[in-house]
PDB file of all heavy atoms in Angstrom:
ATOM      1  N   ARG A  61     -13.485  12.953 -11.522  1.00  0.00           N
ATOM      2  CA  ARG A  61     -13.365  13.384 -12.913  1.00  0.00           C
ATOM      3  C   ARG A  61     -14.728  13.303 -13.600  1.00  0.00           C
ATOM      4  O   ARG A  61     -15.533  12.417 -13.306  1.00  0.00           O
ATOM      5  CB  ARG A  61     -12.349  12.509 -13.646  1.00  0.00           C
ATOM      6  CG  ARG A  61     -10.945  12.597 -13.067  1.00  0.00           C
ATOM      7  CD  ARG A  61     -10.009  11.596 -13.705  1.00  0.00           C
ATOM      8  NE  ARG A  61     -10.351  10.222 -13.365  1.00  0.00           N
ATOM      9  CZ  ARG A  61      -9.846   9.142 -13.964  1.00  0.00           C
ATOM     10  NH1 ARG A  61      -8.977   9.295 -14.950  1.00  0.00           N
ATOM     11  NH2 ARG A  61     -10.186   7.929 -13.581  1.00  0.00           N
ATOM     12  N   TYR A  62     -14.945  14.223 -14.548  1.00  0.00           N
ATOM     13  CA  TYR A  62     -16.241  14.298 -15.229  1.00  0.00           C
ATOM     14  C   TYR A  62     -15.998  14.611 -16.712  1.00  0.00           C
ATOM     15  O   TYR A  62     -15.305  15.577 -17.036  1.00  0.00           O
ATOM     16  CB  TYR A  62     -17.113  15.411 -14.635  1.00  0.00           C
ATOM     17  CG  TYR A  62     -17.256  15.365 -13.129  1.00  0.00           C
ATOM     18  CD1 TYR A  62     -16.311  15.988 -12.301  1.00  0.00           C
ATOM     19  CD2 TYR A  62     -18.329  14.723 -12.523  1.00  0.00           C
ATOM     20  CE1 TYR A  62     -16.434  15.965 -10.917  1.00  0.00           C
ATOM     21  CE2 TYR A  62     -18.466  14.691 -11.143  1.00  0.00           C
ATOM     22  CZ  TYR A  62     -17.518  15.309 -10.350  1.00  0.00           C
ATOM     23  OH  TYR A  62     -17.649  15.288  -8.976  1.00  0.00           O
ATOM     24  N   PHE A  63     -16.593  13.815 -17.597  1.00  0.00           N
ATOM     25  CA  PHE A  63     -16.430  14.014 -19.032  1.00  0.00           C
ATOM     26  C   PHE A  63     -17.768  13.857 -19.740  1.00  0.00           C
ATOM     27  O   PHE A  63     -18.677  13.173 -19.254  1.00  0.00           O
ATOM     28  CB  PHE A  63     -15.452  12.992 -19.618  1.00  0.00           C
ATOM     29  CG  PHE A  63     -14.086  12.985 -18.990  1.00  0.00           C
ATOM     30  CD1 PHE A  63     -13.771  12.074 -18.001  1.00  0.00           C
ATOM     31  CD2 PHE A  63     -13.121  13.896 -19.384  1.00  0.00           C
ATOM     32  CE1 PHE A  63     -12.517  12.057 -17.407  1.00  0.00           C
ATOM     33  CE2 PHE A  63     -11.862  13.893 -18.792  1.00  0.00           C
ATOM     34  CZ  PHE A  63     -11.561  12.971 -17.808  1.00  0.00           C
ATOM     35  N   MET A  64     -17.879  14.490 -20.921  1.00  0.00           N
ATOM     36  CA  MET A  64     -18.977  14.183 -21.827  1.00  0.00           C
ATOM     37  C   MET A  64     -18.399  13.583 -23.092  1.00  0.00           C
ATOM     38  O   MET A  64     -17.335  13.974 -23.574  1.00  0.00           O
ATOM     39  CB  MET A  64     -19.820  15.415 -22.163  1.00  0.00           C
ATOM     40  CG  MET A  64     -19.173  16.437 -23.060  1.00  0.00           C
ATOM     41  SD  MET A  64     -20.385  17.584 -23.818  1.00  0.00           S
ATOM     42  CE  MET A  64     -21.096  18.389 -22.404  1.00  0.00           C
ATOM     43  N   LEU A  65     -19.108  12.585 -23.627  1.00  0.00           N
ATOM     44  CA  LEU A  65     -18.693  11.877 -24.842  1.00  0.00           C
ATOM     45  C   LEU A  65     -19.836  11.887 -25.835  1.00  0.00           C
ATOM     46  O   LEU A  65     -21.003  11.716 -25.453  1.00  0.00           O
ATOM     47  CB  LEU A  65     -18.327  10.428 -24.495  1.00  0.00           C
ATOM     48  CG  LEU A  65     -18.156   9.449 -25.665  1.00  0.00           C
ATOM     49  CD1 LEU A  65     -16.865   9.725 -26.427  1.00  0.00           C
ATOM     50  CD2 LEU A  65     -18.176   7.999 -25.162  1.00  0.00           C
ATOM     51  N   GLU A  89      -7.400   8.795 -20.970  1.00  0.00           N
ATOM     52  CA  GLU A  89      -7.130   9.340 -19.655  1.00  0.00           C
ATOM     53  C   GLU A  89      -6.527   8.249 -18.779  1.00  0.00           C
ATOM     54  O   GLU A  89      -6.797   7.064 -18.993  1.00  0.00           O
ATOM     55  CB  GLU A  89      -8.421   9.844 -18.993  1.00  0.00           C
ATOM     56  CG  GLU A  89      -9.176  10.905 -19.774  1.00  0.00           C
ATOM     57  CD  GLU A  89      -8.471  12.228 -19.816  1.00  0.00           C
ATOM     58  OE1 GLU A  89      -7.689  12.518 -18.883  1.00  0.00           O
ATOM     59  OE2 GLU A  89      -8.694  12.989 -20.784  1.00  0.00           O
ATOM     60  N   LEU A 111     -19.471  10.576 -18.237  1.00  0.00           N
ATOM     61  CA  LEU A 111     -18.621   9.607 -17.550  1.00  0.00           C
ATOM     62  C   LEU A 111     -17.994  10.256 -16.333  1.00  0.00           C
ATOM     63  O   LEU A 111     -17.584  11.417 -16.378  1.00  0.00           O
ATOM     64  CB  LEU A 111     -17.525   9.089 -18.468  1.00  0.00           C
ATOM     65  CG  LEU A 111     -17.993   8.299 -19.680  1.00  0.00           C
ATOM     66  CD1 LEU A 111     -17.812   9.120 -20.936  1.00  0.00           C
ATOM     67  CD2 LEU A 111     -17.239   6.993 -19.801  1.00  0.00           C
ATOM     68  N   ASP A 211     -22.080  18.982 -26.489  1.00  0.00           N
ATOM     69  CA  ASP A 211     -21.303  20.029 -27.158  1.00  0.00           C
ATOM     70  C   ASP A 211     -21.330  19.770 -28.667  1.00  0.00           C
ATOM     71  O   ASP A 211     -20.888  18.718 -29.134  1.00  0.00           O
ATOM     72  CB  ASP A 211     -19.868  19.993 -26.623  1.00  0.00           C
ATOM     73  CG  ASP A 211     -19.061  21.202 -27.045  1.00  0.00           C
ATOM     74  OD1 ASP A 211     -19.293  21.726 -28.139  1.00  0.00           O
ATOM     75  OD2 ASP A 211     -18.179  21.608 -26.267  1.00  0.00           O
ATOM     76  N   LEU A 214     -18.215  18.530 -30.657  1.00  0.00           N
ATOM     77  CA  LEU A 214     -17.673  17.179 -30.505  1.00  0.00           C
ATOM     78  C   LEU A 214     -18.170  16.286 -31.636  1.00  0.00           C
ATOM     79  O   LEU A 214     -19.378  16.079 -31.801  1.00  0.00           O
ATOM     80  CB  LEU A 214     -18.100  16.578 -29.162  1.00  0.00           C
ATOM     81  CG  LEU A 214     -17.535  17.216 -27.890  1.00  0.00           C
ATOM     82  CD1 LEU A 214     -18.112  16.524 -26.659  1.00  0.00           C
ATOM     83  CD2 LEU A 214     -16.014  17.157 -27.876  1.00  0.00           C
ATOM     84  N   TYR A 219     -14.579  13.517 -26.960  1.00  0.00           N
ATOM     85  CA  TYR A 219     -15.027  13.825 -25.599  1.00  0.00           C
ATOM     86  C   TYR A 219     -14.279  15.045 -25.080  1.00  0.00           C
ATOM     87  O   TYR A 219     -13.277  15.479 -25.654  1.00  0.00           O
ATOM     88  CB  TYR A 219     -14.800  12.630 -24.675  1.00  0.00           C
ATOM     89  CG  TYR A 219     -13.358  12.403 -24.272  1.00  0.00           C
ATOM     90  CD1 TYR A 219     -12.885  12.848 -23.040  1.00  0.00           C
ATOM     91  CD2 TYR A 219     -12.459  11.754 -25.118  1.00  0.00           C
ATOM     92  CE1 TYR A 219     -11.548  12.646 -22.666  1.00  0.00           C
ATOM     93  CE2 TYR A 219     -11.138  11.549 -24.754  1.00  0.00           C
ATOM     94  CZ  TYR A 219     -10.688  11.998 -23.530  1.00  0.00           C
ATOM     95  OH  TYR A 219      -9.383  11.812 -23.151  1.00  0.00           O
ATOM     96  N   ARG A 220     -14.788  15.594 -23.989  1.00  0.00           N
ATOM     97  CA  ARG A 220     -14.111  16.691 -23.300  1.00  0.00           C
ATOM     98  C   ARG A 220     -14.492  16.678 -21.827  1.00  0.00           C
ATOM     99  O   ARG A 220     -15.537  16.120 -21.458  1.00  0.00           O
ATOM    100  CB  ARG A 220     -14.467  18.049 -23.916  1.00  0.00           C
ATOM    101  CG  ARG A 220     -15.912  18.501 -23.708  1.00  0.00           C
ATOM    102  CD  ARG A 220     -16.040  20.000 -23.916  1.00  0.00           C
ATOM    103  NE  ARG A 220     -17.395  20.503 -23.904  1.00  0.00           N
ATOM    104  CZ  ARG A 220     -18.113  20.757 -22.795  1.00  0.00           C
ATOM    105  NH1 ARG A 220     -17.604  20.493 -21.602  1.00  0.00           N
ATOM    106  NH2 ARG A 220     -19.341  21.250 -22.886  1.00  0.00           N
ATOM    107  N   PRO A 221     -13.673  17.309 -20.960  1.00  0.00           N
ATOM    108  CA  PRO A 221     -14.059  17.440 -19.550  1.00  0.00           C
ATOM    109  C   PRO A 221     -15.286  18.340 -19.427  1.00  0.00           C
ATOM    110  O   PRO A 221     -15.483  19.258 -20.229  1.00  0.00           O
ATOM    111  CB  PRO A 221     -12.831  18.081 -18.895  1.00  0.00           C
ATOM    112  CG  PRO A 221     -11.713  17.891 -19.863  1.00  0.00           C
ATOM    113  CD  PRO A 221     -12.332  17.865 -21.212  1.00  0.00           C
ATOM    114  N   LEU A 222     -16.098  18.098 -18.420  1.00  0.00           N
ATOM    115  CA  LEU A 222     -17.202  18.998 -18.129  1.00  0.00           C
ATOM    116  C   LEU A 222     -16.676  20.283 -17.501  1.00  0.00           C
ATOM    117  O   LEU A 222     -15.649  20.283 -16.822  1.00  0.00           O
ATOM    118  CB  LEU A 222     -18.194  18.345 -17.168  1.00  0.00           C
ATOM    119  CG  LEU A 222     -18.971  17.126 -17.663  1.00  0.00           C
ATOM    120  CD1 LEU A 222     -20.050  16.755 -16.641  1.00  0.00           C
ATOM    121  CD2 LEU A 222     -19.599  17.344 -19.025  1.00  0.00           C
ATOM    122  N   THR A 223     -17.384  21.388 -17.720  1.00  0.00           N
ATOM    123  CA  THR A 223     -17.049  22.639 -17.064  1.00  0.00           C
ATOM    124  C   THR A 223     -17.548  22.587 -15.613  1.00  0.00           C
ATOM    125  O   THR A 223     -18.384  21.754 -15.253  1.00  0.00           O
ATOM    126  CB  THR A 223     -17.715  23.820 -17.779  1.00  0.00           C
ATOM    127  OG1 THR A 223     -19.151  23.698 -17.656  1.00  0.00           O
ATOM    128  CG2 THR A 223     -17.340  23.847 -19.258  1.00  0.00           C
ATOM    129  N   GLU A 224     -17.044  23.478 -14.799  1.00  0.00           N
ATOM    130  CA  GLU A 224     -17.503  23.557 -13.408  1.00  0.00           C
ATOM    131  C   GLU A 224     -19.008  23.803 -13.348  1.00  0.00           C
ATOM    132  O   GLU A 224     -19.706  23.247 -12.508  1.00  0.00           O
ATOM    133  CB  GLU A 224     -16.747  24.665 -12.664  1.00  0.00           C
ATOM    134  CG  GLU A 224     -15.321  24.322 -12.287  1.00  0.00           C
ATOM    135  CD  GLU A 224     -15.246  23.154 -11.307  1.00  0.00           C
ATOM    136  OE1 GLU A 224     -16.085  23.092 -10.385  1.00  0.00           O
ATOM    137  OE2 GLU A 224     -14.348  22.309 -11.470  1.00  0.00           O
ATOM    138  N   GLU A 226     -21.262  22.916 -15.532  1.00  0.00           N
ATOM    139  CA  GLU A 226     -21.967  21.684 -15.895  1.00  0.00           C
ATOM    140  C   GLU A 226     -21.952  20.685 -14.745  1.00  0.00           C
ATOM    141  O   GLU A 226     -22.968  20.057 -14.427  1.00  0.00           O
ATOM    142  CB  GLU A 226     -21.333  21.076 -17.152  1.00  0.00           C
ATOM    143  CG  GLU A 226     -21.622  21.868 -18.422  1.00  0.00           C
ATOM    144  CD  GLU A 226     -20.759  21.442 -19.592  1.00  0.00           C
ATOM    145  OE1 GLU A 226     -19.658  20.883 -19.375  1.00  0.00           O
ATOM    146  OE2 GLU A 226     -21.169  21.677 -20.736  1.00  0.00           O
ATOM    147  N   ILE A 227     -20.790  20.545 -14.114  1.00  0.00           N
ATOM    148  CA  ILE A 227     -20.680  19.619 -12.981  1.00  0.00           C
ATOM    149  C   ILE A 227     -21.635  20.019 -11.865  1.00  0.00           C
ATOM    150  O   ILE A 227     -22.374  19.195 -11.322  1.00  0.00           O
ATOM    151  CB  ILE A 227     -19.234  19.580 -12.452  1.00  0.00           C
ATOM    152  CG1 ILE A 227     -18.290  19.009 -13.510  1.00  0.00           C
ATOM    153  CG2 ILE A 227     -19.147  18.754 -11.163  1.00  0.00           C
ATOM    154  CD1 ILE A 227     -16.818  19.221 -13.197  1.00  0.00           C
TER     155      ILE A 227
END
Side-chain angles (χ1 to χ4, degrees):
R61 298 173 292 168
Y62 309 87
F63 303 97
M64 71 162 62
L65 167 73
E89 302 290 333
L111 296 107
D211 191 328
L214 293 178
Y219 75 99
R220 68 161 173 81
L222 294 188
T223 65
E224 285 297 320
E226 288 168 336
I227 295 167

